């Protein structure tokens, strides 16, 4: 029986890639690239480029196979119906066939004990049509380990020559398997039978497993092994056009074709389809800046060869413009780009990059705006191009930096940033590069500039009860929430209240799946007002401070945490990345550094105080300190507050916690907790009555 035809003929040639470990999905950063983002060449996606070439390739076949067992029994039942077999005869034949299949697959005890040359089907010969027995006999020897290809081939050849009863049901199968079984040592013979497979199917012989469509790939493989890549590619195209999805074979053949001589490449280029496939592959390989890079040299070779061919195909022109740009041949890229259809994304995007190379920001902005319009309206019929950045030494040699739907507006955002139009840069980046937009919102704009931007462009929207049950916020909602927390950090909580979301969904550390965030913020505002109320007693104010401290310690991330460093609200504080100003990222020292230099004071002053991870824990501890200052010495509540506040800091910052330890001991010599702390020379481990005593941080 034929192997399942869905297996790709070239998979054995492909090197398996290592599996990726699980981890957080980090957003792409665009600001890190600075002005290099404009010159970075897009890359084609080979599979998408190949799609229209496959679509235009004619094929009389389609790949709509049924499962193998069903196909085998369908043919048997059809033959039995043709000869007028009784229901009892049909039942016996089906049982006999299923027994024979077990023998072929090795599930039967007979398969373990039979001699290599013995007749395996004596028990069922009289119950099955002769052609079915002949085919099964060949399949049996094919599946043995080691296989007996001579006996398998003899059985299938006998079926074709003798044409026994039922042969129509297995004619296509026999031709196909004669091709499969001989392709390694007799490729010409194998090709003839692959072609006969298709001829028989086209003439109406049953092909329920779509072996005719699959045979294109196996015949192509014989040419691939002989490095006849142009012939192989034409056959792979026909196979794909027949519905056998085998893009890897197309891609691998194209890649190896580029290793051949210029003379051979010129021969390949004569065929328009192969020319477009090869341009698709070289254009899909990420551009690097190394002039000695082999791929760059290949691009230059290919561009030189294509000068001998006139090409009016729009897809080819777009490809050539991109390849020339990738190769650093900007003048040639400009010439091809001028010939490409202006309605395509690639035309507008490359035109923008070429304008930037000439230093024309106004022209580039117009091209970017038109590219964004094309993307939004999905008018472009060319494939989407992607930015790929090299990562030397990484498990993946290239990192996807952004698809056009994000990348094109992102690059326009950098133009606004270059012009010091910070609000417009924020607005342009916001829907596509959240962390870059958050950096501008949190550190580059002043708080009042951000407040004005949000009020003007992102007013509050009414959210129905049905929409409340969601865990993802839209970019404007995220920006409003970021503003609320920034205002809170700066002591402007009353102003912040309208910008807090009503509800936040998720899995929180205390087991809740929903937080009424605005209620928490309102409660925090009320507590702050109580701490400043001169009409209540000092102890009442201390209790308000302590309640405020505990609220901020427990919910500080949601109330005042920074979106990016140092708190990393964007990752629920579970992960951190290099800070924007760190050498690892170098945003402020990139080619856009001069832009950020104008805002260096704002960037510095907008950092939380202190600029430490989980900075709100320090804020909570400070509230505890203020509470303790309003309470008398040798008071159990004073001792408890100093003990707990110090423990919030002691693991991460013992020096910051030290003042709480010293105050605990010095101010409360009659309190057992302070006595124990003095004996330990540090904080005791537990205070059983305190609800937060299980946390050392």
């Amino acid at each position: 029986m034929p192997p399942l035809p869905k297996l790709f003929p070239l998979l054995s040639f492909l090197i398996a890639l290592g599996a990726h470990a699980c981890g957080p999905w980090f957003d792409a950063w665009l600001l890190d690239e600075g002005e290099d983002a404009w010159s970075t060449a897009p890359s084609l996606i080979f599979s998408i480029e190949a799609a229209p070439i496959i679509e235009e390739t004619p094929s009389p076949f389609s790949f709509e196979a049924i499962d193998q067992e069903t196909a085998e029994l369908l043919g048997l039942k059809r033959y039995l119906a043709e000869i007028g077999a009784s229901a009892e005869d049909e039942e016996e034949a089906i049982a006999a066939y299923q027994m024979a299949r077990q023998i072929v697959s090795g599930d039967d005890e007979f398969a373990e004990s039979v001699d290599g040359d013995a007749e395996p089907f004596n028990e069922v010969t009289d119950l099955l049509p002769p052609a079915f027995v002949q085919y099964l006999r060949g399949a049996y020897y094919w599946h043995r380990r080691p296989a007996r290809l001579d006996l398998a081939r003899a059985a299938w050849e006998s079926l074709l020559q003798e044409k026994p009863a039922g042969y129509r049901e297995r004619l296509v199968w026999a031709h196909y398997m004669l091709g499969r079984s001989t392709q390694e040592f007799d490729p010409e013979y194998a090709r003839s039978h692959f072609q006969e497979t298709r001829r028989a199917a086209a003439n109406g012989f049953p092909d329920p497993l779509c072996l005719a469509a699959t045979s294109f790939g196996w015949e192509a493989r014989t040419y691939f092994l002989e490095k006849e890549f142009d012939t192989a590619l034409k056959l792979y195209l026909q196979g794909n056009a027949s519905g056998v999805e085998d893009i890897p074979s197309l891609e691998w053949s194209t890649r190896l074709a580029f290793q051949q001589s210029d003379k051979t490449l010129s021969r390949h280029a004569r065929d328009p389809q192969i020319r477009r496939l090869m341009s698709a592959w070289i254009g899909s390989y990420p551009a690097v800046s190394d002039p000695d890079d082999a791929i760059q040299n290949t691009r230059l070779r290919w561009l030189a060869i294509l000068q001998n061919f006139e090409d009016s195909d729009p897809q080819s022109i777009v490809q050539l413009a991109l390849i020339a740009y990738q190769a650093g041949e900007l003048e040639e890229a400009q010439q091809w780009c001028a010939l490409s259809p202006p309605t395509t994304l690639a035309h507008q995007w490359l035109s923008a990059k070429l304008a930037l190379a000439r230093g024309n920001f106004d022209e580039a902005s117009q091209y970017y705006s038109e590219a964004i319009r094309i993307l939004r309206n999905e008018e472009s019929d060319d494939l989407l191009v992607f930015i790929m950045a090299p990562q030397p030494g990484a498990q993946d040699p290239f990192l996807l930096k952004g698809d056009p739907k994000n990348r094109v507006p992102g690059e326009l955002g950098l133009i606004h940033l270059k012009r010091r139009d910070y609000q417009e840069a924020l607005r342009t980046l916001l829907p596509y590069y959240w962390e870059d937009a958050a950096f501008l919102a949190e550190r580059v704009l002043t708080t009042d500039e951000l407040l004005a931007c949000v009020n003007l462009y992102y007013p509050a929207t009414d959210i129905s009860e049905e929409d409340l049950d969601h865990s993802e916020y839209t970019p404007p909602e995220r920006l409003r929430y970021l503003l609320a927390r920034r205002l809170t950090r700066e002591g402007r909580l009353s102003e912040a209240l309208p910008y807090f979301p009503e509800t936040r969904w998720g899995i929180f550390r205390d087991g809740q799946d929903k937080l009424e965030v605005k209620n928490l913020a309102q409660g925090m505002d009320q507590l702050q007002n109580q701490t400043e109320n001169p009409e209540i007693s000092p102890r009442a104010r201390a209790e308000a401070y302590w309640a405020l401290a505990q609220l901020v310690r427990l919910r500080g991330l949601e109330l005042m945490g920074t979106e990016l460093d140092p708190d990393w609200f964007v990752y629920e504080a579970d992960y951190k990345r290099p800070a924007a100003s760190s050498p690892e990222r170098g945003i402020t020292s990139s080619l856009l550094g001069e832009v950020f230099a104008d805002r260096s004071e704002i960037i510095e002053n907008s950092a939380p105080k202190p600029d430490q991870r989980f900075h709100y824990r320090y804020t909570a501890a400070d509230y505890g300190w203020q509470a303790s200052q309003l309470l008398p010495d040798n008071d159990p509540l004073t001792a408890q507050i100093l003990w707990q506040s110090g423990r919030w800091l002691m693991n991460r910052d013992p020096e910051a916690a030290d003042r709480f330890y010293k105050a605990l001991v010095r101010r409360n010599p009659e309190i057992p907790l302070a006595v124990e702390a003095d004996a330990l020379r540090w904080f005791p481990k537990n205070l059983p009555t305190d609800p937060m005593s299980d946390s050392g941080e």
Side-chain angles (χ1 to χ4, degrees):
M1 62 193 70
L4 293 178
K6 66 182 179 181
L7 298 178
F8 294 152
L10 269 183
L11 289 183
S12 60
F13 287 87
L14 302 180
I15 300 173
L17 297 178
H20 294 286
C22 294
W25 177 263
F26 291 128
D27 286 341
W29 286 329
L30 192 60
L31 293 180
D32 298 54
E33 298 178 45
E35 294 179 27
D36 290 344
W38 295 322
S39 60
T40 301
S43 298
L44 301 172
I45 300 298
F46 181 85
S47 60
I48 306 178
E49 280 288 306
I53 307 173
I54 293 169
E55 187 174 344
E56 70 188 32
T57 302
S59 175
F61 307 108
S62 62
F63 188 82
E64 298 177 358
I66 59 179
D67 71 272
Q68 185 156 324
E69 183 175 1
T70 301
E72 293 181 49
L73 293 178
L74 182 65
L76 178 60
K77 291 177 181 179
R78 183 165 47 232
Y79 172 76
L80 293 173
E82 289 174 0
I83 65 173
S86 66
E88 183 179 353
D89 288 342
E90 179 179 322
E91 185 177 347
E92 288 183 352
I94 291 174
Y97 193 88
Q98 290 173 333
M99 178 189 299
R101 286 189 86 255
Q102 289 181 337
I103 294 173
V104 169
S105 62
D107 292 339
D108 195 272
E109 294 180 2
F110 174 82
E112 301 295 330
S113 59
V114 69
D115 293 333
D117 298 342
E119 167 57 48
F121 301 116
N122 287 329
E123 295 184 17
V124 298
T125 300
D126 295 337
L127 299 174
L128 294 174
F132 285 74
V133 176
Q134 281 288 74
Y135 182 80
L136 286 169
R137 185 176 291 114
Y140 170 78
Y141 292 120
W142 163 264
H143 282 284
R144 294 307 87 204
R145 291 294 177 267
R148 289 298 307 273
L149 297 184
D150 55 335
L151 296 177
R153 179 175 173 179
W156 292 322
E157 287 178 338
S158 175
L159 187 156
L160 296 177
Q161 293 167 4
E162 298 173 6
K163 298 182 180 179
Y167 83 96
R168 287 184 57 84
E169 296 292 342
R170 290 296 182 263
L171 182 69
V172 170
W173 301 33
H175 278 304
Y176 177 80
M177 289 308 300
L178 282 169
R180 286 290 312 276
S181 61
T182 58
Q183 60 182 336
E184 300 292 344
F185 56 86
D186 194 347
E188 286 297 331
Y189 178 88
R191 290 166 191 160
S192 70
H193 281 284
F194 286 133
Q195 292 161 16
E196 287 296 328
T197 300
R198 298 192 289 274
R199 187 174 294 112
N203 288 330
F205 287 89
D207 183 21
L209 293 177
C210 301
L211 301 177
T214 310
S215 69
F216 283 117
W218 289 107
E219 184 179 350
R221 183 177 181 273
T222 66
Y223 289 104
F224 175 91
L225 294 174
E226 295 177 354
K227 298 185 179 180
E228 296 289 336
F229 296 117
D230 49 352
T231 306
L233 283 168
K234 296 297 283 187
L235 286 164
Y236 281 131
L237 279 173
Q238 288 181 281
N240 277 274
S242 301
V244 182
E245 296 181 5
D246 191 6
I247 297 299
S249 293
L250 278 174
E251 193 167 5
W252 199 253
S253 300
T254 308
R255 175 178 184 171
L256 294 183
F258 273 111
Q259 298 178 9
Q260 297 181 304
S261 66
D262 286 358
K263 180 179 179 180
T264 304
L265 281 179
S266 296
R267 189 189 78 201
H268 297 334
R270 293 192 190 103
D271 186 289
Q273 285 189 317
I274 295 178
R275 186 164 66 240
R276 287 157 63 194
L277 277 176
M278 297 190 70
S279 292
W281 185 84
I282 197 65
S284 69
Y285 205 91
V288 295
S289 57
D290 184 0
D292 297 326
D293 178 71
I295 294 295
Q296 287 292 72
N297 293 332
T298 301
R299 285 192 180 94
L300 295 172
R301 285 177 62 209
W302 187 238
L303 288 171
I305 288 170
L306 294 186
Q307 289 178 355
N308 300 318
F309 299 90
E310 292 186 5
D311 211 329
S312 59
D313 176 74
Q315 183 186 16
S316 297
I317 293 172
V318 169
Q319 289 174 339
L320 292 172
L322 182 62
I323 294 168
Y325 185 84
Q326 291 172 334
E329 300 294 321
L330 300 188
E331 186 174 339
E332 185 174 354
Q334 183 67 63
Q335 293 171 357
W336 285 112
C337 197
L339 296 173
S340 65
T343 56
T344 61
L345 167 65
H347 172 92
Q348 298 295 338
W349 197 1
L350 282 180
S351 296
K353 287 180 174 291
L354 290 165
L356 287 170
R358 299 190 299 270
N360 193 329
F361 286 83
D362 290 337
E363 184 181 351
S365 296
Q366 293 175 6
Y367 283 123
Y368 274 122
S369 297
E370 181 60 19
I372 293 171
R373 189 191 67 78
I374 290 173
L375 283 168
R376 286 177 178 169
N377 296 334
E378 298 183 350
E379 294 178 0
S380 177
D381 57 4
D382 65 320
L383 61 118
L384 299 181
V385 281
F386 283 64
I387 292 291
M388 306 289 283
Q391 293 192 112
Q395 186 177 36
D396 288 329
F398 295 95
L399 171 69
L400 179 65
K401 293 288 285 187
D403 68 57
K405 293 180 180 178
N406 297 342
R407 183 78 187 200
V408 171
E411 291 180 10
L412 177 59
L414 296 185
I415 292 180
H416 295 311
L417 191 58
K418 180 74 173 177
R419 291 170 163 170
R420 273 68 166 180
D421 190 344
Y422 301 110
Q423 282 195 7
E424 196 60 29
L426 169 61
R427 293 183 61 221
T428 308
L429 290 169
L430 180 63
Y432 310 103
Y433 290 90
W434 167 245
E435 290 190 31
D436 288 334
F439 174 69
L440 297 181
E442 205 160 52
R443 304 299 299 274
V444 177
L445 274 71
T446 66
T447 305
D448 288 332
E449 286 173 338
L450 177 59
L451 188 62
C453 179
V454 169
N455 288 338
L456 180 61
Y457 297 110
Y458 306 110
T461 56
D462 293 330
I463 301 177
S464 67
E465 289 295 325
E466 297 172 356
D467 294 332
L468 282 176
D469 189 7
H470 70 292
S471 58
E472 293 294 331
Y473 294 100
T474 65
E477 289 172 329
R478 296 176 82 176
L479 186 64
R480 290 178 62 85
Y481 192 9
L482 179 152
L483 170 62
R485 299 194 309 275
R486 183 173 178 181
L487 287 167
T488 302
R489 287 195 300 275
E490 296 179 7
R492 300 166 65 175
L493 179 55
S494 296
E495 292 179 72
L497 290 177
Y499 303 96
F500 276 102
E502 294 287 344
T503 307
R504 184 161 182 253
W505 296 83
I507 304 299
F508 301 101
R509 298 181 189 279
D510 58 357
Q512 295 188 53
D513 61 3
K514 180 177 75 171
L515 288 181
E516 303 293 343
V517 180
K518 181 162 285 189
N519 286 345
L520 290 175
Q522 291 170 341
M524 182 179 177
D525 187 49
Q526 292 172 4
L527 289 172
Q528 283 190 343
N529 291 335
Q530 291 181 38
T531 63
E532 299 166 1
N533 186 354
E535 297 181 0
I536 62 176
S537 67
R539 191 172 191 87
R541 290 177 58 207
E543 290 172 348
Y545 266 122
W546 182 226
L548 185 60
Q550 293 177 89
L551 174 62
V552 171
R553 173 58 186 85
L554 183 62
R555 298 297 179 206
L557 181 66
E558 289 77 20
L559 292 168
M560 61 175 61
T562 58
E563 186 72 15
L564 304 180
D565 60 283
D567 298 329
W568 295 102
F569 176 89
V570 66
Y571 298 119
E572 305 286 349
D574 289 331
Y575 303 96
K576 64 178 181 178
R577 301 177 76 181
S581 57
S582 69
E584 295 173 79
R585 288 192 60 187
I587 286 180
T588 53
S589 61
S590 68
L591 292 177
L592 286 172
E594 61 186 62
V595 176
F596 294 116
D598 294 347
R599 294 251 152 174
S600 59
E601 185 175 348
I602 297 172
I603 292 173
E604 181 178 354
N605 292 337
S606 59
K609 308 297 186 294
D611 192 3
Q612 299 287 339
R613 185 110 190 263
F614 308 120
H615 89 279
Y616 45 85
R617 296 180 181 178
Y618 292 84
T619 303
D622 284 342
Y623 283 137
W625 182 266
Q626 293 179 66
S628 71
Q629 299 303 299
L630 294 171
L631 294 171
D633 294 347
N634 285 317
D635 186 305
L637 182 58
T638 304
Q640 178 184 339
I641 290 173
L642 291 169
W643 171 82
Q644 183 65 81
S645 300
R647 284 188 59 82
W648 288 340
L649 304 177
M650 71 178 193
N651 287 345
R652 287 187 169 272
D653 194 343
E655 185 175 345
D658 187 60
R659 65 167 173 154
F660 293 90
Y661 159 72
K662 290 177 177 175
L664 170 63
V665 172
R666 293 171 180 170
R667 292 186 56 194
N668 302 279
E670 300 177 7
I671 302 297
L673 179 63
V675 173
E676 184 180 357
D678 190 28
L680 293 172
R681 294 294 187 263
W682 202 231
F683 297 97
K685 184 176 181 180
N686 291 315
L687 179 65
T689 58
D690 187 86
M692 304 188 70
S693 63
D694 61 340
S695 172
E697 298 184 6

